Each structure stands twice: as C-alpha cells, then as structure tokens.
Coordinates of all heavy atoms in Angstrom, one line a residue:
M1 N 113.4 98.6 97.1 CA 112.2 98.1 96.5 C 110.9 98.8 96.9 O 109.9 98.6 96.4 CB 112.0 96.6 96.7 CG 113.0 95.8 95.9 SD 112.3 94.1 95.9 CE 113.2 93.5 94.5
G2 N 111.0 99.6 98.0 CA 109.8 100.4 98.4 C 109.1 99.7 99.6 O 109.7 99.0 100.3
E3 N 107.8 100.1 99.7 CA 107.0 99.6 100.8 C 106.8 98.1 100.6 O 106.9 97.5 99.5 CB 105.7 100.3 100.8 CG 105.9 101.8 101.1 CD 104.6 102.5 101.0 OE1 103.5 101.9 101.1 OE2 104.6 103.7 100.9
D4 N 106.4 97.5 101.7 CA 106.1 96.0 101.7 C 105.1 95.6 100.7 O 105.2 94.6 100.0 CB 105.7 95.5 103.1 CG 106.8 95.4 104.0 OD1 108.0 95.6 103.6 OD2 106.6 95.2 105.2
S5 N 104.0 96.5 100.5 CA 103.0 96.1 99.5 C 103.6 96.1 98.1 O 103.2 95.3 97.3 CB 101.8 97.1 99.6 OG 102.3 98.4 99.3
D6 N 104.5 97.0 97.8 CA 105.2 97.0 96.5 C 106.0 95.8 96.4 O 106.0 95.2 95.3 CB 106.0 98.3 96.4 CG 105.2 99.6 96.3 OD1 104.0 99.5 95.9 OD2 105.8 100.6 96.6
D7 N 106.7 95.4 97.4 CA 107.5 94.2 97.4 C 106.7 92.9 97.1 O 107.0 92.1 96.3 CB 108.3 94.0 98.7 CG 109.4 95.0 98.8 OD1 109.7 95.7 97.8 OD2 109.9 95.1 99.9
T8 N 105.5 92.9 97.8 CA 104.6 91.7 97.6 C 104.1 91.7 96.2 O 104.0 90.6 95.6 CB 103.5 91.8 98.6 OG1 104.1 91.8 99.9 CG2 102.6 90.5 98.5
Q9 N 103.8 92.8 95.6 CA 103.3 92.9 94.3 C 104.4 92.5 93.3 O 104.1 92.1 92.2 CB 102.7 94.2 93.9 CG 101.4 94.5 94.7 CD 101.0 95.9 94.6 OE1 101.6 96.7 93.9 NE2 99.9 96.3 95.2
A10 N 105.6 92.7 93.7 CA 106.8 92.5 92.8 C 107.1 91.0 92.7 O 107.9 90.6 91.8 CB 108.0 93.3 93.2
I11 N 106.5 90.2 93.5 CA 106.9 88.7 93.5 C 106.7 88.1 92.2 O 107.6 87.5 91.7 CB 106.1 88.0 94.6 CG1 106.6 88.4 96.0 CG2 106.2 86.5 94.5 CD1 105.8 87.9 97.1
P12 N 105.5 88.3 91.5 CA 105.4 87.7 90.2 C 106.4 88.2 89.2 O 106.9 87.4 88.4 CB 103.9 88.1 89.8 CG 103.2 88.4 91.0 CD 104.3 88.9 92.0
A13 N 106.7 89.5 89.2 CA 107.7 90.0 88.3 C 109.1 89.6 88.6 O 109.9 89.2 87.7 CB 107.6 91.5 88.3
V14 N 109.5 89.6 89.9 CA 110.9 89.3 90.3 C 111.1 87.8 90.3 O 112.1 87.3 89.8 CB 111.2 89.9 91.6 CG1 112.6 89.5 92.1 CG2 111.1 91.4 91.5
I15 N 110.3 87.1 91.0 CA 110.4 85.6 91.2 C 109.8 84.9 90.1 O 110.4 84.1 89.4 CB 109.9 85.2 92.6 CG1 110.5 86.0 93.7 CG2 110.2 83.7 92.8 CD1 111.9 85.9 94.0
G16 N 108.5 85.2 89.9 CA 107.7 84.6 88.8 C 107.6 83.1 88.7 O 108.1 82.4 89.5
A17 N 106.8 82.7 87.8 CA 106.5 81.3 87.7 C 107.7 80.5 87.3 O 107.8 79.3 87.5 CB 105.4 81.1 86.6
G18 N 108.7 81.1 86.7 CA 109.9 80.5 86.3 C 110.7 80.0 87.5 O 111.6 79.2 87.4
V19 N 110.4 80.5 88.7 CA 111.1 80.1 89.9 C 110.2 79.4 90.8 O 110.5 78.3 91.4 CB 111.7 81.3 90.7 CG1 112.3 80.9 92.0 CG2 112.8 82.0 89.8
I20 N 108.9 79.9 91.0 CA 108.0 79.3 91.9 C 107.6 77.8 91.5 O 107.7 76.9 92.4 CB 106.7 80.1 92.0 CG1 107.0 81.5 92.6 CG2 105.7 79.4 92.9 CD1 107.7 81.6 93.9
A21 N 107.3 77.6 90.3 CA 107.0 76.2 89.8 C 108.1 75.2 90.0 O 107.9 74.2 90.6 CB 106.4 76.3 88.4
P22 N 109.3 75.6 89.5 CA 110.4 74.6 89.8 C 110.7 74.4 91.2 O 111.0 73.3 91.7 CB 111.6 75.2 89.0 CG 111.0 76.2 88.1 CD 109.7 76.6 88.7
A23 N 110.7 75.5 92.0 CA 110.9 75.3 93.5 C 109.8 74.5 94.1 O 110.1 73.7 95.0 CB 111.0 76.7 94.1
S24 N 108.6 74.6 93.6 CA 107.5 73.8 94.2 C 107.7 72.3 93.9 O 107.5 71.5 94.7 CB 106.2 74.3 93.6 OG 105.9 75.6 94.0
W25 N 108.2 72.0 92.7 CA 108.4 70.6 92.3 C 109.6 70.1 93.2 O 109.5 68.9 93.6 CB 108.7 70.4 90.8 CG 107.5 70.5 90.0 CD1 107.1 71.6 89.2 CD2 106.4 69.6 90.0 NE1 105.9 71.3 88.6 CE2 105.4 70.1 89.1 CE3 106.2 68.4 90.6 CZ2 104.2 69.5 88.8 CZ3 105.0 67.7 90.3 CH2 104.0 68.3 89.4
C26 N 110.6 70.9 93.4 CA 111.7 70.5 94.3 C 111.2 70.2 95.7 O 111.5 69.2 96.3 CB 112.8 71.6 94.2 SG 114.0 71.4 95.5
A27 N 110.4 71.2 96.2 CA 109.9 71.0 97.5 C 108.9 69.9 97.7 O 108.8 69.2 98.7 CB 109.2 72.4 98.0
K28 N 108.2 69.6 96.6 CA 107.2 68.5 96.6 C 108.0 67.2 96.9 O 107.6 66.3 97.6 CB 106.5 68.4 95.3 CG 105.5 67.2 95.3 CD 104.7 67.2 94.0 CE 103.7 66.0 94.0 NZ 103.1 65.8 92.8
G29 N 109.2 67.0 96.2 CA 110.0 65.9 96.5 C 110.6 65.9 97.9 O 110.6 64.8 98.6
A30 N 111.0 67.0 98.3 CA 111.6 67.1 99.7 C 110.6 66.9 100.8 O 110.9 66.4 101.9 CB 112.3 68.5 99.8
L31 N 109.3 67.3 100.5 CA 108.3 67.3 101.5 C 107.2 66.3 101.2 O 106.1 66.4 101.6 CB 107.7 68.7 101.7 CG 108.7 69.8 102.1 CD1 108.0 71.1 102.0 CD2 109.3 69.5 103.5
G32 N 107.5 65.3 100.4 CA 106.5 64.3 99.9 C 105.7 63.7 100.9 O 104.5 63.3 100.7
S33 N 106.2 63.4 102.1 CA 105.4 62.7 103.1 C 104.8 63.6 104.1 O 104.2 63.2 105.1 CB 106.3 61.7 103.8 OG 107.4 62.4 104.5
V34 N 104.9 64.9 103.9 CA 104.3 65.9 104.9 C 102.9 66.1 104.6 O 102.5 66.4 103.4 CB 105.1 67.3 104.8 CG1 104.5 68.3 105.7 CG2 106.6 67.1 105.1
P35 N 102.0 66.0 105.6 CA 100.6 66.2 105.3 C 100.3 67.7 105.0 O 101.0 68.6 105.4 CB 99.9 65.8 106.6 CG 101.0 65.8 107.7 CD 102.3 65.6 107.0
T36 N 99.2 67.9 104.3 CA 98.8 69.3 103.9 C 98.6 70.2 105.1 O 98.9 71.3 105.1 CB 97.5 69.2 103.1 OG1 97.7 68.4 102.0 CG2 97.1 70.6 102.6
S37 N 98.1 69.6 106.2 CA 97.9 70.4 107.5 C 99.2 71.0 108.0 O 99.3 72.1 108.5 CB 97.2 69.6 108.5 OG 98.0 68.5 108.9
A38 N 100.3 70.2 107.8 CA 101.6 70.7 108.3 C 102.1 71.9 107.3 O 102.7 72.8 107.8 CB 102.6 69.6 108.3
L39 N 101.8 71.7 106.0 CA 102.1 72.8 105.1 C 101.3 74.1 105.4 O 101.8 75.2 105.3 CB 101.8 72.3 103.6 CG 102.7 71.2 103.1 CD1 102.3 70.7 101.8 CD2 104.2 71.6 103.1
E40 N 100.0 73.9 105.7 CA 99.2 75.1 106.1 C 99.8 75.8 107.3 O 99.8 77.0 107.3 CB 97.8 74.7 106.3 CG 97.1 74.3 105.0 CD 95.7 73.6 105.2 OE1 95.4 73.2 106.4 OE2 95.0 73.5 104.2
K41 N 100.3 75.1 108.3 CA 100.9 75.7 109.4 C 102.2 76.4 109.0 O 102.6 77.4 109.6 CB 101.2 74.6 110.5 CG 100.0 74.1 111.2 CD 100.4 73.1 112.3 CE 99.2 72.6 113.0 NZ 99.5 71.6 114.0
A42 N 102.9 75.9 108.0 CA 104.1 76.5 107.6 C 103.9 77.9 107.0 O 104.8 78.8 107.0 CB 104.8 75.7 106.5
L43 N 102.7 78.2 106.5 CA 102.4 79.5 105.9 C 102.5 80.6 107.0 O 102.7 81.7 106.8 CB 101.0 79.5 105.3 CG 100.8 78.8 104.0 CD1 99.4 78.7 103.6 CD2 101.7 79.5 102.9
T44 N 102.2 80.2 108.3 CA 102.3 81.1 109.4 C 103.7 81.1 110.1 O 103.9 81.8 111.1 CB 101.2 80.9 110.4 OG1 101.4 79.6 111.0 CG2 99.8 81.0 109.8
G45 N 104.6 80.3 109.6 CA 105.9 80.2 110.1 C 106.0 79.2 111.3 O 107.1 79.2 112.0
E46 N 105.0 78.4 111.6 CA 105.0 77.5 112.7 C 106.0 76.3 112.5 O 106.4 75.7 113.5 CB 103.6 77.0 113.0 CG 102.7 78.0 113.5 CD 101.3 77.5 113.8 OE1 101.2 76.3 114.2 OE2 100.3 78.2 113.5
T47 N 106.3 76.0 111.3 CA 107.0 74.8 111.0 C 108.3 75.2 110.3 O 108.3 75.1 109.0 CB 106.2 73.7 110.2 OG1 104.9 73.7 110.8 CG2 106.8 72.4 110.3
S48 N 109.3 75.6 111.0 CA 110.5 76.2 110.3 C 111.2 75.2 109.4 O 111.8 75.5 108.4 CB 111.5 76.7 111.4 OG 111.9 75.7 112.2
W49 N 111.2 73.9 109.8 CA 111.9 72.9 108.9 C 111.3 72.8 107.5 O 112.0 72.6 106.6 CB 112.0 71.5 109.6 CG 110.7 70.9 109.9 CD1 109.9 71.0 111.0 CD2 110.0 69.9 109.0 NE1 108.8 70.3 110.9 CE2 108.8 69.6 109.7 CE3 110.3 69.4 107.8 CZ2 107.9 68.7 109.1 CZ3 109.4 68.5 107.3 CH2 108.2 68.1 107.9
I50 N 110.0 73.0 107.4 CA 109.3 73.0 106.1 C 109.7 74.2 105.4 O 110.1 74.2 104.2 CB 107.8 72.9 106.2 CG1 107.4 71.5 106.8 CG2 107.1 73.2 104.9 CD1 105.9 71.4 107.0
R51 N 109.7 75.4 106.0 CA 110.1 76.6 105.4 C 111.6 76.5 105.0 O 112.0 77.0 103.9 CB 109.9 77.8 106.3 CG 108.4 78.1 106.6 CD 108.2 79.3 107.5 NE 108.5 80.5 106.9 CZ 107.6 81.2 106.1 NH1 106.5 80.7 105.8 NH2 107.9 82.4 105.6
N52 N 112.4 75.9 105.8 CA 113.9 75.7 105.4 C 114.0 74.9 104.1 O 114.9 75.1 103.3 CB 114.7 75.2 106.6 CG 114.8 76.2 107.7 OD1 114.7 77.4 107.5 ND2 115.1 75.7 108.9
A53 N 113.2 73.8 104.0 CA 113.3 73.0 102.8 C 112.8 73.8 101.6 O 113.5 73.7 100.5 CB 112.4 71.8 103.0
V54 N 111.8 74.6 101.7 CA 111.4 75.4 100.6 C 112.4 76.5 100.3 O 112.7 76.7 99.1 CB 110.0 76.1 101.0 CG1 109.6 77.2 99.9 CG2 108.9 75.1 101.1
I55 N 113.0 77.1 101.3 CA 114.1 78.1 101.0 C 115.2 77.4 100.3 O 115.8 78.0 99.3 CB 114.6 78.7 102.3 CG1 113.5 79.6 102.9 CG2 115.9 79.4 102.1 CD1 113.8 80.1 104.3
G56 N 115.6 76.2 100.6 CA 116.7 75.5 99.9 C 116.3 75.3 98.5 O 117.2 75.4 97.6
C57 N 115.1 75.0 98.2 CA 114.6 74.8 96.8 C 114.6 76.1 96.1 O 115.0 76.2 94.9 CB 113.3 74.2 96.7 SG 113.3 72.4 97.2
L58 N 114.2 77.2 96.7 CA 114.2 78.5 96.1 C 115.6 79.0 95.8 O 115.9 79.5 94.7 CB 113.5 79.5 97.0 CG 112.0 79.5 96.9 CD1 111.4 80.3 98.1 CD2 111.5 80.1 95.6
V59 N 116.5 78.9 96.8 CA 117.9 79.3 96.6 C 118.6 78.6 95.5 O 119.3 79.1 94.7 CB 118.7 79.2 98.0 CG1 120.1 79.5 97.8 CG2 118.1 80.2 99.0
G60 N 118.3 77.3 95.4 CA 118.8 76.5 94.3 C 118.4 77.0 93.0 O 119.1 76.9 92.0
N61 N 117.2 77.6 92.9 CA 116.7 78.0 91.6 C 117.1 79.5 91.3 O 117.3 79.8 90.1 CB 115.1 77.9 91.6 CG 114.7 76.5 91.3 OD1 115.1 75.9 90.4 ND2 113.9 76.0 92.2
V62 N 117.2 80.3 92.3 CA 117.6 81.7 92.0 C 119.0 82.0 92.3 O 119.5 83.0 91.9 CB 116.7 82.7 92.8 CG1 115.2 82.6 92.4 CG2 116.9 82.6 94.3
G63 N 119.7 81.2 93.1 CA 121.1 81.4 93.4 C 121.2 82.1 94.7 O 120.4 83.0 95.0
G64 N 122.2 81.7 95.5 CA 122.4 82.3 96.8 C 122.7 83.8 96.8 O 122.2 84.5 97.6
S65 N 123.5 84.2 95.8 CA 123.8 85.7 95.8 C 122.6 86.5 95.5 O 122.4 87.6 96.1 CB 124.9 86.0 94.8 OG 124.6 85.5 93.5
V66 N 121.7 86.0 94.6 CA 120.5 86.7 94.3 C 119.5 86.7 95.5 O 118.9 87.7 95.9 CB 119.8 86.1 93.0 CG1 118.4 86.7 92.8 CG2 120.6 86.3 91.8
W67 N 119.4 85.5 96.2 CA 118.5 85.4 97.3 C 118.9 86.4 98.4 O 118.1 87.0 99.1 CB 118.6 84.0 97.8 CG 117.7 83.7 99.0 CD1 118.0 83.5 100.3 CD2 116.2 83.5 98.9 NE1 116.9 83.3 101.0 CE2 115.8 83.3 100.2 CE3 115.3 83.6 97.9 CZ2 114.4 83.1 100.5 CZ3 114.0 83.4 98.1 CH2 113.6 83.1 99.4
N68 N 120.2 86.6 98.6 CA 120.7 87.6 99.6 C 120.3 89.0 99.3 O 120.2 89.8 100.2 CB 122.2 87.5 99.8 CG 122.6 86.2 100.4 OD1 121.9 85.6 101.2 ND2 123.8 85.7 100.1
L69 N 120.1 89.3 98.0 CA 119.7 90.7 97.6 C 118.2 90.9 97.7 O 117.8 92.1 97.7 CB 120.2 90.9 96.2 CG 121.7 90.9 96.0 CD1 122.0 91.0 94.5 CD2 122.4 92.0 96.8
V70 N 117.4 89.9 97.8 CA 116.0 90.0 97.8 C 115.5 90.5 99.2 O 116.0 90.0 100.2 CB 115.3 88.7 97.4 CG1 113.8 88.7 97.6 CG2 115.7 88.3 96.0
S71 N 114.6 91.4 99.2 CA 114.1 91.9 100.5 C 113.3 90.8 101.3 O 112.8 89.9 100.7 CB 113.1 93.1 100.2 OG 111.9 92.7 99.7
P72 N 113.3 91.0 102.6 CA 112.6 90.0 103.4 C 111.2 89.8 103.1 O 110.7 88.6 103.1 CB 112.7 90.5 104.8 CG 114.0 91.4 104.8 CD 114.0 92.0 103.4
S73 N 110.4 90.8 102.7 CA 109.0 90.6 102.4 C 108.9 89.9 101.1 O 107.9 89.1 100.9 CB 108.3 92.0 102.3 OG 108.9 92.8 101.3
V74 N 109.8 90.0 100.1 CA 109.7 89.3 98.9 C 110.1 87.8 99.1 O 109.5 86.9 98.6 CB 110.6 89.9 97.8 CG1 110.7 89.0 96.5 CG2 110.1 91.3 97.4
K75 N 111.1 87.6 100.0 CA 111.4 86.2 100.4 C 110.3 85.5 101.0 O 109.9 84.4 100.6 CB 112.6 86.2 101.4 CG 113.9 86.6 100.8 CD 115.0 86.6 101.8 CE 116.3 87.1 101.3 NZ 117.4 87.1 102.3
S76 N 109.6 86.2 101.9 CA 108.5 85.6 102.6 C 107.3 85.3 101.6 O 106.7 84.2 101.7 CB 108.0 86.5 103.7 OG 106.8 86.0 104.4
G77 N 107.1 86.2 100.7 CA 106.1 86.0 99.7 C 106.4 84.8 98.8 O 105.5 84.1 98.4
A78 N 107.7 84.7 98.4 CA 108.1 83.6 97.6 C 107.9 82.3 98.3 O 107.4 81.3 97.7 CB 109.5 83.8 97.1
I79 N 108.3 82.2 99.5 CA 108.2 81.0 100.4 C 106.7 80.6 100.5 O 106.3 79.5 100.3 CB 108.8 81.2 101.7 CG1 110.3 81.4 101.6 CG2 108.5 80.1 102.7 CD1 111.0 81.9 102.9
N80 N 105.9 81.6 100.8 CA 104.5 81.3 100.9 C 103.8 80.9 99.6 O 102.9 80.1 99.5 CB 103.7 82.6 101.5 CG 104.1 82.7 103.0 OD1 104.5 81.8 103.6 ND2 103.8 83.9 103.5
A81 N 104.3 81.5 98.5 CA 103.8 81.1 97.2 C 104.1 79.6 96.9 O 103.3 78.9 96.3 CB 104.4 82.0 96.1
V82 N 105.3 79.2 97.2 CA 105.7 77.8 97.0 C 104.8 76.9 97.8 O 104.3 75.9 97.4 CB 107.2 77.6 97.2 CG1 107.5 76.1 97.2 CG2 108.0 78.3 96.2
I83 N 104.7 77.3 99.1 CA 103.9 76.4 100.0 C 102.4 76.4 99.6 O 101.8 75.3 99.5 CB 104.0 76.9 101.5 CG1 105.4 76.7 102.0 CG2 103.0 76.2 102.4 CD1 105.8 77.4 103.3
S84 N 101.9 77.5 99.1 CA 100.5 77.5 98.6 C 100.4 76.7 97.4 O 99.4 76.0 97.2 CB 100.1 79.0 98.3 OG 100.1 79.8 99.5
F85 N 101.4 76.7 96.5 CA 101.4 75.9 95.3 C 101.3 74.4 95.7 O 100.6 73.6 95.1 CB 102.6 76.3 94.5 CG 102.6 75.7 93.1 CD1 102.0 76.4 92.0 CD2 103.2 74.5 92.8 CE1 102.0 75.9 90.7 CE2 103.2 74.0 91.5 CZ 102.6 74.7 90.5
L86 N 102.1 74.1 96.7 CA 102.2 72.7 97.1 C 100.8 72.2 97.7 O 100.4 71.1 97.4 CB 103.3 72.5 98.2 CG 104.7 72.5 97.7 CD1 105.7 72.5 98.8 CD2 105.0 71.3 96.8
I87 N 100.2 73.1 98.4 CA 98.9 72.8 99.0 C 97.9 72.5 97.9 O 97.1 71.6 97.9 CB 98.4 73.9 100.0 CG1 99.3 73.8 101.2 CG2 97.0 73.7 100.4 CD1 99.2 75.0 102.2
R88 N 97.9 73.4 96.9 CA 97.0 73.3 95.8 C 97.3 72.0 95.0 O 96.3 71.4 94.4 CB 97.0 74.5 94.9 CG 96.3 75.7 95.4 CD 96.2 76.8 94.4 NE 97.4 77.3 93.8 CZ 98.2 78.3 94.3 NH1 97.8 78.9 95.4 NH2 99.3 78.6 93.7
M89 N 98.5 71.6 94.9 CA 98.9 70.4 94.1 C 98.5 69.1 94.9 O 98.3 68.1 94.3 CB 100.4 70.3 93.9 CG 100.9 71.3 92.9 SD 102.7 71.4 92.6 CE 103.3 69.8 93.0
S90 N 98.3 69.2 96.2 CA 98.0 68.0 97.0 C 96.6 67.7 97.0 O 95.7 68.3 96.6 CB 98.6 68.1 98.4 OG 98.1 69.2 99.1

C-alpha cells in the first residue's frame, strides 16, 4: 500500500463510510456508558479496552480475513475514525 501517508489517505476508499458508520453504531452500543473523555483518550491508545471494542465492531463489518490483510496504519486510521465518529455523535 505504500507509505503511511498513502495508507491514511486510502482509509476513505478502502474502509469508507460503508464500514465506519456501521462500526460506529455497533461501538456506540458496546460503549454506550463510556464518557466522551475516555473515548478521547482512546484516540491516543491509552484505553485499550475501548480500542478492542471498536476493533471487534470493525472486524465484524469487514471480516477477519480482510482485517488481517489491512496495513497497521490503515487499521489505526479506521479505529480512530470510528472513535472520532462516536465523539461527534455524543
């Protein structure tokens, strides 16, 4: 996929709203009682259990085999996109 900047720019094309929005709704249910401040900390990786819940929702939407093929920078971008979406929704 190239350099990290290319991978980050590929997030909308590869993951897209067709995955981020459904994963966000899934994560909203899973993290319904989590305060926004905890979600903001998750953007920096401080709260691994929140990131794990988001990953579970993403993997459920894209499939485990596809998730394994995605580069780490795209995974991180997708996780952060879902968390950012949740923060904006709250």
Side-chain angles (χ1 to χ4, degrees):
M1 286 201 163
E3 298 178 16
D4 285 350
S5 62
D6 293 337
D7 289 346
T8 303
Q9 292 172 359
I11 291 170
V14 175
I15 307 294
V19 173
I20 299 300
S24 296
W25 285 108
C26 168
K28 182 180 180 185
L31 303 170
S33 63
V34 176
T36 303
S37 59
L39 293 174
E40 289 170 347
K41 289 181 181 180
L43 287 172
T44 62
E46 292 181 35
T47 316
S48 62
W49 62 274
I50 291 175
R51 292 179 74 81
N52 288 339
V54 171
I55 290 168
C57 290
L58 280 166
V59 172
N61 283 306
V62 299
S65 57
V66 173
W67 184 254
N68 290 332
L69 298 174
V70 175
S71 73
S73 61
V74 172
K75 287 178 183 178
S76 180
I79 293 164
N80 288 342
V82 170
I83 293 170
S84 295
F85 192 87
L86 287 172
I87 291 170
R88 285 191 300 269
M89 286 175 30
S90 59

